[in-house]
Amino acid sequence: MKLKIWLKRKGWAFLLSVLIPIVIMAVVYLMMGIYPTSQRTVLASDALSQTSNFFASFNNTLHGKQSFFYTWYGSLGLNYWSFMAYYINGIFSFVVAFFDNQHIPDALYLILLLKFGVIGGTFWIMSDRLFKLPQIAKIMLSVSFALCGFSIAYSPQQMWLDGLIYLPLVILGIHYLMDDRKPALLFISYLLLFLSNFYMAFMVGVFSFLYVFCRFLTEPKRFKASLVPYLITSLLAGGASMVTILPTLLDLKNNGEGLTPIYSFLTRGMDIWDIPAKTMVGSYDTSKYGSAPFIYFGMLGLIFCLFYFTSRKIALKNKLIYGSLFLLLIASVYIEPMNLFWHGMHSPYMFLFRFSFLFSFLGLLLAGFGLEQVTKDDFNRLVNVVLGLIFLYVLISFVANRKRYEYLDQKTLLATLTVALLYVLLGVLIQKWPKRLVLIGCLFSFVFIGEQLINAQRIVKGIAGEWNYPDRRAYDDHFSDINTLIETTKNENTSLYRVGNVDATSRNESFIHGYSGVTMFSSIRNRHSSQYLDQLGFRSAGTNLTIQYENNTLIMDALLGIKYNLAKEDLRKYGYKAIKTAGDYTLYENQFAMPLGILTDKGIYKKNAVKNQTELMQYLSGDESNIFSFAEVETVKENNVKVEEQEGGVYYSRTANTNRELTYSIDVPERSQAYLSLYGKGTEVDIITKVNGIQRHGSLDSSGQYYDLGYYKEAKTVEVQVVFTGENVVQLVKPKAMFLNSDRFENMMKTIKKNGVSFETSGRTSEAEVELSKDQVVLTTIPFDKGWRAYIDGKRVEIPTFKDAFLALPVPKGKHTVKLVFLPEGFRIGLSLFISCILLFIVYNWWLRKKMKQQIYIQKEKEE
């Protein structure tokens, strides 16, 4: 009965708060040619290279194809629990279970729309309990938050939107606790927030703590008794969330980036007009470097927020307290240490000022409190606020740096001024014809929805211009071909093997198709293994956000267990044999691929041992033969390039506005795998090599340096055409040819293969049987992580670190069963805290309610 009454009185308002953002964004995407099953997708920016692939892997997990704790398909292997804590753990992630991996773009489209809607819904729930306003006003505030500048501009990173979903519930929970000593909503909201995305949870957690402090200062005597319950509730919610947070923090500590040094007090590249400029309708500059914070939260929200600070009805004390919170957020934009603090002292990689949604939320929250105080007598004050904004926007258009603010074009200014004046006009109509309130309300709604639609459309258009909403083929091009070949490999193997796609569709392709490879692009990664792999020839520079399989040698293919290659063109690698073709791709099998483990001795642990792939090969084989030889290359043709040799290397400058082309002549000795070494510096420089009609692509700053020229049984002189694209000047170490002697390589590999140890992997475990004539070390190519535990014949043993890169386990002589089991470090403690803190909160909540009832009873007795 109560539900029916609620649906009749308020349910329609809640539904509109959810549906309006969904419909507006669906219309905007439709205008861009994006809809379910459309050719164009929502996969802008990292949504294509990361989110879509990662959600495909989560789909595999939901269908039992991998463990929730560990994935063998994130590069060589990855802690999947902490990976999910950043990328996956959203409220609607389960939706992917209803889609196959080829249709993940449609799943993400649906999830994105649902998140926009639920943000509006949770803000309405907060508004309905905090604001004494007509439902139409609550709907407008809710839609304004759902479609704020941050939520749309940063929608390609949709895992961040969960923070916006829970923020209104956290603030409402704070009010419940401080006003009525009811902590349940705050506990649940905090817990779900922390479990969904630890990154956004940190920002919301800091903001909500500051909000509690500000609210306490408004009435210290009244709220003093609520501070201890708040701290207890927060600590218990934080403790319960440790089931996710603790393993993630430990993983970041062990494998994440270091803190960003502070080089300046002021944030570089900021301007005085940045904040007011981004409150204009449809203002989109960039989400790359050099952007201003996205703080737009609607013209109505801005007007009534300013009214809050200009109205005499609001206590000056409250204005100063909440105004200081606003000033702190503004200062965080301009002061670099404060800016870094909101980001966990880790400078963001593009998508700057990720805390700017807090500005929008606070603005709308205060707008709601301001709107409560509005009467007919305040009309002139509201008009003055609007006129002040109009003057400010016109002033910006005249005095601001045209180059920096070129995004504030005539359309942006015109749309902003038009919307502001229309709201004033509608206010005049309310004053003159109060009896036509329904009609004027409809006009208000029409203007409001038009404003939100224009703003969303312009921001989405800005995203499309900067990042592009890619065609579906960018995601699923050759999906069926690759999937068919990968399924073939799975049917033919029971133990773990690895695959390298020399013509990969994405740097995270392995997540979609479920194969273990090398290439990966992720903020959650095993840096120690990537750093060692970089020494072994797989490019993973800087902070190791990426690691690339491309342009390495046969040695690493063999030692890492790369049993298969996928390629569109003929793969001329020694030891590889074509076994199946599907569409444009052919599957090649590597006869020299090692299993997951290799027997060696304890000398492998020495600090300076096996620093590169040649030393590793020699050590494992016990053969000191030199497997590589080098030769100079002869340049026989140059086109549109000026070559200058200097002490620092060779510089290739463009002489016309076309690509630079060089042709090298190389004398390849017999029985050799030939490589061209190209290593140097250059921003966004791509290299195309063409030899014997086979063309390969690489990136100077992210691919390996050894461009494969093919295997030659007989000595031969080959010509290699090299094309440089990108910036005008490219600096390289002088190019050289490198030759791998196939006879020596094969002899070494025969020796190493005798020491191979096959591991059977399943979920988060890996197991092998060994029979040793002496004490030895089983060196695996499983990335080292403190979550691994090793057991020999069921007895747990310690795992010494091998360069903090791979698991290497000493095993005594005899016949043994070696078992490796992964559980994220800190998970057991986190799970214990999860259970105990929930139970403690239940007890605490019961005690608090009992105490409140006793106080009410005592108060009634006193009154009687």
Side-chain angles (χ1 to χ4, degrees), residues 312-325:
R312 294 176 182 177
K313 299 176 183 179
I314 308 293
L316 177 61
K317 181 180 180 180
N318 288 12
K319 293 178 187 178
L320 292 174
I321 290 171
Y322 290 115
S324 65
L325 187 52

PDB file of all heavy atoms in Angstrom, residues 312-325:
ATOM      1  N   ARG A 312      20.301  37.256   1.524  1.00  0.00           N
ATOM      2  CA  ARG A 312      20.395  37.597   2.938  1.00  0.00           C
ATOM      3  C   ARG A 312      19.686  36.563   3.817  1.00  0.00           C
ATOM      4  O   ARG A 312      19.821  36.594   5.042  1.00  0.00           O
ATOM      5  CB  ARG A 312      19.792  38.985   3.174  1.00  0.00           C
ATOM      6  CG  ARG A 312      20.587  40.110   2.488  1.00  0.00           C
ATOM      7  CD  ARG A 312      19.898  41.435   2.666  1.00  0.00           C
ATOM      8  NE  ARG A 312      20.631  42.493   1.977  1.00  0.00           N
ATOM      9  CZ  ARG A 312      20.215  43.768   1.908  1.00  0.00           C
ATOM     10  NH1 ARG A 312      19.066  44.108   2.481  1.00  0.00           N
ATOM     11  NH2 ARG A 312      20.930  44.664   1.274  1.00  0.00           N
ATOM     12  N   LYS A 313      18.932  35.685   3.194  1.00  0.00           N
ATOM     13  CA  LYS A 313      18.194  34.677   3.954  1.00  0.00           C
ATOM     14  C   LYS A 313      19.096  33.545   4.435  1.00  0.00           C
ATOM     15  O   LYS A 313      18.730  32.783   5.319  1.00  0.00           O
ATOM     16  CB  LYS A 313      17.069  34.101   3.092  1.00  0.00           C
ATOM     17  CG  LYS A 313      16.045  35.141   2.655  1.00  0.00           C
ATOM     18  CD  LYS A 313      15.024  34.527   1.723  1.00  0.00           C
ATOM     19  CE  LYS A 313      14.034  35.574   1.228  1.00  0.00           C
ATOM     20  NZ  LYS A 313      13.047  35.003   0.288  1.00  0.00           N
ATOM     21  N   ILE A 314      20.237  33.420   3.805  1.00  0.00           N
ATOM     22  CA  ILE A 314      21.204  32.386   4.192  1.00  0.00           C
ATOM     23  C   ILE A 314      22.164  32.987   5.196  1.00  0.00           C
ATOM     24  O   ILE A 314      22.721  34.068   4.972  1.00  0.00           O
ATOM     25  CB  ILE A 314      21.978  31.847   2.973  1.00  0.00           C
ATOM     26  CG1 ILE A 314      21.033  31.417   1.857  1.00  0.00           C
ATOM     27  CG2 ILE A 314      22.907  30.717   3.386  1.00  0.00           C
ATOM     28  CD1 ILE A 314      20.170  30.231   2.174  1.00  0.00           C
ATOM     29  N   ALA A 315      22.372  32.287   6.305  1.00  0.00           N
ATOM     30  CA  ALA A 315      23.265  32.783   7.352  1.00  0.00           C
ATOM     31  C   ALA A 315      24.674  33.000   6.808  1.00  0.00           C
ATOM     32  O   ALA A 315      25.201  32.167   6.060  1.00  0.00           O
ATOM     33  CB  ALA A 315      23.287  31.815   8.524  1.00  0.00           C
ATOM     34  N   LEU A 316      25.270  34.132   7.183  1.00  0.00           N
ATOM     35  CA  LEU A 316      26.626  34.452   6.732  1.00  0.00           C
ATOM     36  C   LEU A 316      27.608  33.365   7.143  1.00  0.00           C
ATOM     37  O   LEU A 316      28.525  33.010   6.385  1.00  0.00           O
ATOM     38  CB  LEU A 316      27.061  35.799   7.313  1.00  0.00           C
ATOM     39  CG  LEU A 316      28.491  36.246   6.992  1.00  0.00           C
ATOM     40  CD1 LEU A 316      28.679  36.401   5.480  1.00  0.00           C
ATOM     41  CD2 LEU A 316      28.828  37.549   7.718  1.00  0.00           C
ATOM     42  N   LYS A 317      27.409  32.806   8.311  1.00  0.00           N
ATOM     43  CA  LYS A 317      28.286  31.739   8.798  1.00  0.00           C
ATOM     44  C   LYS A 317      28.274  30.553   7.843  1.00  0.00           C
ATOM     45  O   LYS A 317      29.328  29.997   7.500  1.00  0.00           O
ATOM     46  CB  LYS A 317      27.811  31.313  10.185  1.00  0.00           C
ATOM     47  CG  LYS A 317      28.655  30.223  10.828  1.00  0.00           C
ATOM     48  CD  LYS A 317      28.094  29.871  12.188  1.00  0.00           C
ATOM     49  CE  LYS A 317      28.914  28.784  12.863  1.00  0.00           C
ATOM     50  NZ  LYS A 317      28.376  28.425  14.193  1.00  0.00           N
ATOM     51  N   ASN A 318      27.094  30.159   7.391  1.00  0.00           N
ATOM     52  CA  ASN A 318      26.975  29.035   6.462  1.00  0.00           C
ATOM     53  C   ASN A 318      27.630  29.357   5.122  1.00  0.00           C
ATOM     54  O   ASN A 318      28.274  28.501   4.501  1.00  0.00           O
ATOM     55  CB  ASN A 318      25.511  28.673   6.257  1.00  0.00           C
ATOM     56  CG  ASN A 318      24.905  28.003   7.482  1.00  0.00           C
ATOM     57  OD1 ASN A 318      25.508  28.013   8.541  1.00  0.00           O
ATOM     58  ND2 ASN A 318      23.728  27.442   7.335  1.00  0.00           N
ATOM     59  N   LYS A 319      27.443  30.579   4.673  1.00  0.00           N
ATOM     60  CA  LYS A 319      28.062  30.988   3.403  1.00  0.00           C
ATOM     61  C   LYS A 319      29.584  30.875   3.488  1.00  0.00           C
ATOM     62  O   LYS A 319      30.240  30.385   2.558  1.00  0.00           O
ATOM     63  CB  LYS A 319      27.680  32.427   3.058  1.00  0.00           C
ATOM     64  CG  LYS A 319      26.225  32.647   2.734  1.00  0.00           C
ATOM     65  CD  LYS A 319      25.996  34.123   2.458  1.00  0.00           C
ATOM     66  CE  LYS A 319      24.518  34.444   2.297  1.00  0.00           C
ATOM     67  NZ  LYS A 319      24.288  35.875   2.079  1.00  0.00           N
ATOM     68  N   LEU A 320      30.138  31.338   4.606  1.00  0.00           N
ATOM     69  CA  LEU A 320      31.595  31.301   4.766  1.00  0.00           C
ATOM     70  C   LEU A 320      32.108  29.869   4.853  1.00  0.00           C
ATOM     71  O   LEU A 320      33.150  29.531   4.274  1.00  0.00           O
ATOM     72  CB  LEU A 320      31.999  32.085   6.016  1.00  0.00           C
ATOM     73  CG  LEU A 320      31.776  33.604   5.959  1.00  0.00           C
ATOM     74  CD1 LEU A 320      32.088  34.240   7.312  1.00  0.00           C
ATOM     75  CD2 LEU A 320      32.634  34.234   4.865  1.00  0.00           C
ATOM     76  N   ILE A 321      31.361  29.027   5.563  1.00  0.00           N
ATOM     77  CA  ILE A 321      31.810  27.630   5.747  1.00  0.00           C
ATOM     78  C   ILE A 321      31.776  26.868   4.433  1.00  0.00           C
ATOM     79  O   ILE A 321      32.774  26.262   4.024  1.00  0.00           O
ATOM     80  CB  ILE A 321      30.941  26.943   6.814  1.00  0.00           C
ATOM     81  CG1 ILE A 321      31.249  27.530   8.190  1.00  0.00           C
ATOM     82  CG2 ILE A 321      31.198  25.427   6.811  1.00  0.00           C
ATOM     83  CD1 ILE A 321      30.306  27.070   9.277  1.00  0.00           C
ATOM     84  N   TYR A 322      30.608  26.890   3.757  1.00  0.00           N
ATOM     85  CA  TYR A 322      30.510  26.142   2.497  1.00  0.00           C
ATOM     86  C   TYR A 322      31.267  26.846   1.371  1.00  0.00           C
ATOM     87  O   TYR A 322      31.757  26.192   0.447  1.00  0.00           O
ATOM     88  CB  TYR A 322      29.043  25.932   2.120  1.00  0.00           C
ATOM     89  CG  TYR A 322      28.345  24.960   3.030  1.00  0.00           C
ATOM     90  CD1 TYR A 322      27.297  25.375   3.855  1.00  0.00           C
ATOM     91  CD2 TYR A 322      28.742  23.638   3.112  1.00  0.00           C
ATOM     92  CE1 TYR A 322      26.666  24.489   4.719  1.00  0.00           C
ATOM     93  CE2 TYR A 322      28.126  22.740   3.970  1.00  0.00           C
ATOM     94  CZ  TYR A 322      27.088  23.177   4.776  1.00  0.00           C
ATOM     95  OH  TYR A 322      26.477  22.296   5.624  1.00  0.00           O
ATOM     96  N   GLY A 323      31.369  28.172   1.481  1.00  0.00           N
ATOM     97  CA  GLY A 323      32.187  28.902   0.509  1.00  0.00           C
ATOM     98  C   GLY A 323      33.646  28.526   0.603  1.00  0.00           C
ATOM     99  O   GLY A 323      34.360  28.445  -0.398  1.00  0.00           O
ATOM    100  N   SER A 324      34.110  28.236   1.824  1.00  0.00           N
ATOM    101  CA  SER A 324      35.504  27.811   1.993  1.00  0.00           C
ATOM    102  C   SER A 324      35.747  26.456   1.342  1.00  0.00           C
ATOM    103  O   SER A 324      36.839  26.189   0.818  1.00  0.00           O
ATOM    104  CB  SER A 324      35.859  27.758   3.475  1.00  0.00           C
ATOM    105  OG  SER A 324      35.096  26.759   4.142  1.00  0.00           O
ATOM    106  N   LEU A 325      34.715  25.590   1.364  1.00  0.00           N
ATOM    107  CA  LEU A 325      34.846  24.300   0.686  1.00  0.00           C
ATOM    108  C   LEU A 325      34.945  24.502  -0.823  1.00  0.00           C
ATOM    109  O   LEU A 325      35.733  23.824  -1.509  1.00  0.00           O
ATOM    110  CB  LEU A 325      33.654  23.404   1.036  1.00  0.00           C
ATOM    111  CG  LEU A 325      33.698  21.945   0.552  1.00  0.00           C
ATOM    112  CD1 LEU A 325      34.991  21.263   0.970  1.00  0.00           C
ATOM    113  CD2 LEU A 325      32.497  21.172   1.087  1.00  0.00           C
TER     114      LEU A 325
END
